[in-house]
Amino acid sequence: SKFARVLAVSEHDRKLMSDWVDASSIVVVPTGVDLEKFYPDPSVATAEGLITFVGAMDWEPNVDAVEYFCRQILPRIQACVSGARFRIVGRQPGPRVNTLQGSDVEVTGSVPSIVEHLRASAVVVVPLRVGGGTRLKIYEAMATGKAVVSTSVGAEGLDVENGVDLILADQPEAFAAAVQSLLQDRELRRRYEVAARACANRYSWQAVSEKFDPVLRSVAGEPLTLDVGYVPAQKLEAR
């Protein structure tokens, strides 16, 4: 209530904040994704059967997510998909994560860049059951043109449509079935890959800046206009 404007990164957060302060002062400015870094590379072959999770492995919600996936979801997938395997990419994995490692589960630890791991993936999963904030890992995976399966908690706060941009599944059976279908049906997976990239294009930093700039100018009392020479987001989408 001390500030002229409050920025929320999602409509979900805006609604929560509206219980505390005047809703008219809250403006949604989403977080973005670096499309100069995260983009599809046709020269990188997809590793069929490779399921990937990306996240800091010293954060409890991520630890819980990979334990949940390995114990309740992966066995169901492997019962139907020969060669399915899971890769956990992220810094500082502790004993709970390292004990998951085996012939079909890889724990990489810190990597120079997650981009190549995303590009090699057949499916990216976000099986989070707890935690807050927005999941930039989803936009990054989508920006590289990857099909994503997530829990509702994992995609909370993101402007994504279930069954169009990604698949949401909150029960282990449904989650496993979604991953299985994407691994086995390349045409289905391709449709999600194309939709994912299109969705991520809406959240380039250029597009986010178009929303952020007018808010700053309004607080400063300036006209709500953009700088001359600004590059509109739609030009980036033509890339």
Side-chain angles (χ1 to χ4, degrees):
S1 59
K2 296 179 181 179
F3 295 87
R5 293 288 185 274
V6 177
L7 300 181
V9 295
S10 70
E11 182 62 27
H12 174 79
D13 285 359
R14 189 196 67 79
K15 290 178 180 177
L16 291 177
M17 293 177 184
S18 296
D19 291 336
W20 312 328
V21 298
D22 179 8
S24 65
S25 69
I26 305 172
V27 180
V28 176
V29 177
T31 48
V33 59
D34 184 356
L35 297 184
E36 293 295 321
K37 178 179 179 181
F38 295 93
Y39 59 89
D41 185 348
S43 69
V44 178
T46 297
E48 293 299 327
L50 179 59
I51 308 161
T52 301
F53 175 87
V54 174
M57 297 319 303
D58 55 355
W59 193 49
E60 175 60 28
N62 285 344
V63 175
D64 174 80
V66 296
E67 287 183 328
Y68 166 58
F69 187 83
C70 287
R71 293 170 181 169
Q72 298 191 46
I73 299 173
L74 184 59
R76 288 182 165 91
I77 297 170
Q78 292 176 321
C80 302
V81 182
S82 177
R85 59 200 186 281
F86 186 41
R87 179 178 291 168
I88 302 168
V89 180
R91 68 170 188 258
Q92 297 184 337
R96 286 169 57 192
V97 177
N98 286 324
T99 57
L100 299 172
Q101 190 157 229
S103 59
D104 52 6
V105 177
E106 177 187 0
V107 179
T108 69
S110 297
V111 295
S113 171
I114 66 171
V115 178
E116 296 309 313
H117 289 282
L118 290 173
R119 288 173 177 161
S121 305
V123 178
V124 175
V125 295
V126 187
L128 286 167
R129 299 190 291 181
V130 293
T134 54
R135 318 305 180 189
L136 297 184
K137 61 170 66 73
I138 288 184
Y139 280 161
E140 290 171 350
M142 296 174 84
T144 58
K146 291 300 168 179
V148 177
V149 180
S150 174
T151 57
S152 297
V153 170
E156 192 174 76
L158 300 183
D159 183 17
V160 291
E161 184 176 353
N162 180 30
V164 177
D165 306 313
L166 80 178
I167 301 176
L168 299 180
D170 292 321
Q171 299 303 318
E173 299 85 356
F175 202 111
V179 176
Q180 174 189 337
S181 65
L182 291 170
L183 291 177
Q184 294 180 321
D185 188 338
R186 293 189 183 183
E187 180 56 34
L188 175 66
R189 190 168 76 211
R190 178 59 181 161
R191 291 203 298 271
Y192 274 101
E193 290 171 346
V194 171
R197 174 62 180 174
C199 178
N201 278 349
R202 300 199 300 269
Y203 296 97
S204 67
W205 284 121
Q206 286 86 348
V208 170
S209 295
E210 287 184 346
K211 297 178 181 293
F212 191 32
D213 181 88
V215 177
L216 297 179
R217 291 182 182 277
S218 68
V219 173
E222 297 182 15
L224 298 183
T225 58
L226 296 177
D227 290 335
V228 175
Y230 183 80
V231 180
Q234 57 264 32
K235 288 190 176 181
L236 184 65
E237 293 182 12
R239 170 176 172 172

